[in-house]
Amino acid sequence: MPKHDPAHRTLADIGEDALIQLLTASFEFDASVLTGPGDDCAIVRGPAKNRHLVLKTDAVLEGVHFTPETQPEKIGQKALARVISDMAAMAAVPEHALITLIAPPSTTVQRIVGIYRGLRKLAAAYEIQLVGGETCRGSQLVLSISLTGSVPAQRALLRSQAQLNDRIYVTGRLGGSLQGRHLTFTPRLAEAHWLAKQIKVSAMMDLSDGLAKDLPRLAKSSQLGFQVEFSKLPCQPRCTATQAWADGEDYELLFTAPALTAAKFRSWKKAFPRTPLTEIGHMVPAADCMVMPAGGWDHFVPAQANS
Amino acid sequence: MPKHDPAHRTLADIGEDALIQLLTASFEFDASVLTGPGDDCAIVRGPAKNRHLVLKTDAVLEGVHFTPETQPEKIGQKALARVISDMAAMAAVPEHALITLIAPPSTTVQRIVGIYRGLRKLAAAYEIQLVGGETCRGSQLVLSISLTGSVPAQRALLRSQAQLNDRIYVTGRLGGSLQGRHLTFTPRLAEAHWLAKQIKVSAMMDLSDGLAKDLPRLAKSSQLGFQVEFSKLPCQPRCTATQAWADGEDYELLFTAPALTAAKFRSWKKAFPRTPLTEIGHMVPAADCMVMPAGGWDHFVPAQANS
């Protein structure tokens, strides 16, 4: 089939971001929908006036997010930690989860029990109730989690509200996650709630695809640009700034706010002594996306920043 | 590997019902969880006192629930209709949905757009907001829907509350769904809300696996047995009572209640002139599950009724 024939174009031809754009472009919502597709989670009005509902779904697949050799407990842990990280990005409280397990009939019961052990351990640590789900036979192992939570009506943090001249901050250290941390990271839930209470955060998201992809998303969503200095990036041990910039799967918080005072930095350090909080740049007018690697400022043209 | 070695047993060895039993056996919940795994949906306390949240997730897979030849629009329609049917089974109002699409990169954009067209058409008809989701590459086409809804605090209908001597009713006509109706059925949402308001329904569920599997589940969950007369089963045209009993994918409502008056039957007929409401039997003490096919009453031993 000719690739330029629109009727026969495949997902491989157009890519995920263009697909999402295509599918959600003309979505219309009623007044119950406060935040639809395009942020870390959806936010909708529930039956209570003072708290909104926060909804998220996410799947991990064998061969994409883990391998046949991955310790089963870590598969369950990663699947749930990813959606908790998205809830953290909105400063929401995760509450109830549904689990969908798709598995080939040849999968050992032991492996599935291990996956669930990981799920339950993390659910217990974050006081999340695993209230149901379903199992189905399929050709590839898939673990999909739907998580519901809530957020005070005035406190949800979106990625679209960054202001001109706001500083850009990240929690933790970035880069090299695929060496193991992508399976065992700790979602920054307590940190997110602290930030929402203590600081005038204007926009927040979690770093799942890496600064190089996620910061342009935050900026675009806020109709602004950014300037980032590579030398300021907090790097994991044995990682370069380029890795911290582009590797992804950090699951740290990326947020913008007016410049923090030294006192705020001190109280962060007191609350989270082992997690650095780092200013890496600031927000500039739209279309001006610049990074400073060794050698001076460069205009940054993100490859796929439109989702 | 020897199959009797527990460490190497596979999902094919133990089956889905035993797996679910194993995974959810020791689940413990906090006070927010009103109905956990084992009913059509989960019910949890939300932030409002007068309405509970209802949560459901369900996936359809190529090769299991549809084929490569299935019209794309019908795939989307079926996926969403199934979860609406589960909401109907609790007499809940479906509100917001998240969509997870897993697809091989070779899938045509046209097919995916068709699937979403089916989704959106049905969502519009039931006033459901499609608020987000995700897409991911995988080896098999999977469409998973997470649906949230709500129900007045005192009106949720569980499958566990059937009473001794209650009559057993079904909506619509059963059997032969795989000839096409499984893709195009209308979830009985309006009917469920009518029943919850007009009749003292004691227990309700939707018929996804067929009476032969689903009625034993309702009975077991209510710690009762049942007697059903084959001659009373409302059959689809060109279907036998055996098909109505065992085929599955009817997505009709199965419920129990004290015997309905003729006046109630008349008002049902007025509200839903094209959908029959049929008494098919009654609830008896536990362990006494009997059906009367041609030739007289037989004890009924369900093959897999423990999920």
Side-chain angles (χ1 to χ4, degrees):
Chain A
M1 306 288 181
K3 281 202 174 179
H4 54 269
D5 175 355
H8 298 107
R9 276 182 313 167
T10 66
L11 303 192
D13 296 331
I14 73 164
E16 189 185 347
D17 285 353
L19 177 68
I20 293 172
Q21 195 84 14
L22 187 69
L23 296 177
T24 61
S26 60
F27 270 23
E28 284 175 13
F29 299 109
D30 70 14
S32 73
V33 180
L34 303 166
T35 303
D39 214 310
D40 294 272
C41 303
I43 304 181
V44 302
R45 272 181 229 279
K49 277 193 181 161
N50 57 337
R51 286 190 84 83
H52 296 320
L53 294 179
V54 184
L55 310 177
K56 178 67 192 179
T57 193
D58 184 72
V60 294
L61 286 79
E62 186 163 284
V64 182
H65 304 92
F66 59 89
T67 69
E69 292 71 39
T70 305
Q71 194 187 317
E73 208 166 310
K74 288 184 179 169
I75 299 171
Q77 192 177 334
K78 176 173 185 170
L80 186 55
R82 275 165 60 99
V83 285
I84 298 173
S85 182
D86 282 306
M87 284 273 160
M90 322 291 283
V93 179
E95 291 166 346
H96 301 99
L98 298 172
I99 300 155
T100 299
L101 173 77
I102 297 170
S106 60
T107 313
T108 65
V109 173
Q110 200 175 40
R111 190 169 184 215
I112 302 298
V113 168
I115 290 173
Y116 268 68
R117 198 181 307 121
L119 275 174
R120 293 170 75 158
K121 205 179 273 185
L122 201 69
Y126 284 83
E127 297 183 341
I128 292 167
Q129 311 292 310
L130 306 177
V131 294
E134 60 146 357
T135 60
C136 190
R137 68 181 191 279
S139 64
Q140 181 178 23
L141 188 61
V142 176
L143 184 63
S144 174
I145 315 270
S146 300
L147 184 61
T148 61
S150 68
V151 70
Q154 299 306 329
R155 198 179 282 158
L157 292 176
L158 310 184
R159 54 173 77 168
S160 59
Q161 304 297 315
Q163 305 296 312
L164 190 63
N165 298 324
D166 273 353
R167 307 300 169 93
I168 304 168
Y169 298 93
V170 292
T171 62
R173 293 184 184 85
L174 312 180
S177 178
L178 278 181
Q179 275 149 49
R181 207 162 30 91
H182 73 108
L183 294 166
T184 58
F185 66 93
T186 300
R188 300 299 190 193
L189 190 65
E191 292 81 352
H193 291 162
W194 189 95
L195 290 169
K197 272 188 201 161
Q198 302 289 331
I199 286 172
K200 284 192 188 358
V201 175
S202 51
M204 188 153 76
M205 65 185 296
D206 78 325
L207 285 174
S208 47
D209 293 339
L211 268 177
K213 283 191 176 177
D214 288 329
L215 179 53
R217 287 172 179 154
L218 183 146
K220 187 179 179 189
S221 175
S222 297
Q223 300 178 283
L224 290 174
F226 58 80
Q227 277 194 9
V228 165
E229 284 184 56
F230 261 40
S231 66
K232 289 186 173 177
L233 297 185
C235 303
Q236 282 284 333
R238 288 175 303 283
C239 277
T240 64
T242 307
Q243 288 177 282
W245 176 246
D247 277 359
E249 298 228 35
D250 299 301
Y251 303 104
E252 294 291 347
L253 296 170
L254 166 69
F255 68 94
T256 58
L260 301 191
T261 61
K264 282 293 176 196
F265 269 106
R266 278 195 301 275
S267 48
W268 167 276
K269 203 169 178 178
K270 206 171 159 189
F272 307 104
R274 299 199 300 194
T275 306
L277 178 64
T278 312
E279 184 187 318
I280 61 168
H282 65 283
M283 301 305 289
V284 300
D288 210 13
C289 293
M290 301 187 78
V291 293
M292 187 167 78
W297 290 101
D298 257 334
H299 272 277
F300 174 72
V301 183
Q304 286 195 312
N306 60 335
S307 78
Chain B
M1 304 289 182
K3 282 202 176 180
H4 54 269
D5 176 353
H8 297 107
R9 275 181 314 168
T10 67
L11 302 192
D13 297 333
I14 73 163
E16 189 185 347
D17 284 355
L19 177 69
I20 293 172
Q21 195 84 17
L22 186 70
L23 296 178
T24 61
S26 59
F27 270 22
E28 285 175 14
F29 298 110
D30 71 15
S32 73
V33 181
L34 302 167
T35 303
D39 213 310
D40 294 271
C41 304
I43 304 181
V44 303
R45 272 181 230 280
K49 276 194 180 158
N50 57 338
R51 286 190 84 85
H52 297 321
L53 294 179
V54 184
L55 310 177
K56 177 67 190 178
T57 192
D58 183 73
V60 294
L61 287 79
E62 186 163 282
V64 182
H65 304 91
F66 61 89
T67 69
E69 292 72 37
T70 306
Q71 195 187 318
E73 208 168 306
K74 288 186 179 168
I75 299 171
Q77 192 176 333
K78 176 173 185 169
L80 186 55
R82 275 166 61 99
V83 286
I84 298 173
S85 183
D86 282 307
M87 283 274 159
M90 322 294 282
V93 179
E95 291 165 346
H96 301 99
L98 299 172
I99 299 155
T100 300
L101 173 76
I102 298 169
S106 60
T107 312
T108 64
V109 174
Q110 199 175 40
R111 191 171 184 211
I112 302 297
V113 168
I115 291 173
Y116 268 67
R117 199 182 306 122
L119 274 173
R120 292 170 76 157
K121 206 178 274 185
L122 202 68
Y126 285 83
E127 297 182 341
I128 292 167
Q129 311 292 311
L130 306 178
V131 293
E134 61 146 358
T135 61
C136 190
R137 70 181 190 276
S139 63
Q140 183 178 22
L141 186 62
V142 177
L143 184 63
S144 176
I145 315 270
S146 299
L147 184 61
T148 60
S150 68
V151 70
Q154 299 307 326
R155 199 181 281 159
L157 292 175
L158 310 184
R159 56 172 75 168
S160 59
Q161 305 296 314
Q163 305 297 311
L164 190 62
N165 300 324
D166 273 352
R167 306 301 168 93
I168 304 167
Y169 298 94
V170 292
T171 61
R173 294 184 183 86
L174 313 180
S177 177
L178 278 181
Q179 275 149 47
R181 207 162 28 92
H182 74 107
L183 293 166
T184 59
F185 67 93
T186 301
R188 300 299 189 192
L189 190 65
E191 293 82 351
H193 291 163
W194 188 95
L195 291 168
K197 272 187 200 162
Q198 301 289 333
I199 287 173
K200 284 194 189 352
V201 175
S202 52
M204 189 153 76
M205 67 186 295
D206 78 326
L207 285 174
S208 49
D209 292 340
L211 269 177
K213 283 191 177 175
D214 289 328
L215 179 54
R217 287 171 179 154
L218 182 146
K220 188 180 179 190
S221 176
S222 297
Q223 299 180 285
L224 289 174
F226 58 81
Q227 278 193 9
V228 165
E229 284 183 56
F230 261 40
S231 64
K232 289 187 172 176
L233 297 184
C235 304
Q236 282 283 333
R238 291 176 299 281
C239 278
T240 64
T242 307
Q243 288 177 282
W245 176 247
D247 276 359
E249 298 227 38
D250 300 301
Y251 304 104
E252 293 292 346
L253 295 170
L254 166 68
F255 69 94
T256 58
L260 301 192
T261 61
K264 281 294 177 198
F265 269 106
R266 278 195 303 274
S267 50
W268 168 275
K269 204 168 178 178
K270 207 170 157 187
F272 307 104
R274 298 198 303 193
T275 307
L277 178 63
T278 312
E279 183 188 317
I280 60 167
H282 65 281
M283 302 304 289
V284 300
D288 210 12
C289 293
M290 301 186 79
V291 293
M292 187 166 81
W297 289 100
D298 257 335
H299 272 278
F300 174 74
V301 184
Q304 285 196 311
N306 59 333
S307 79

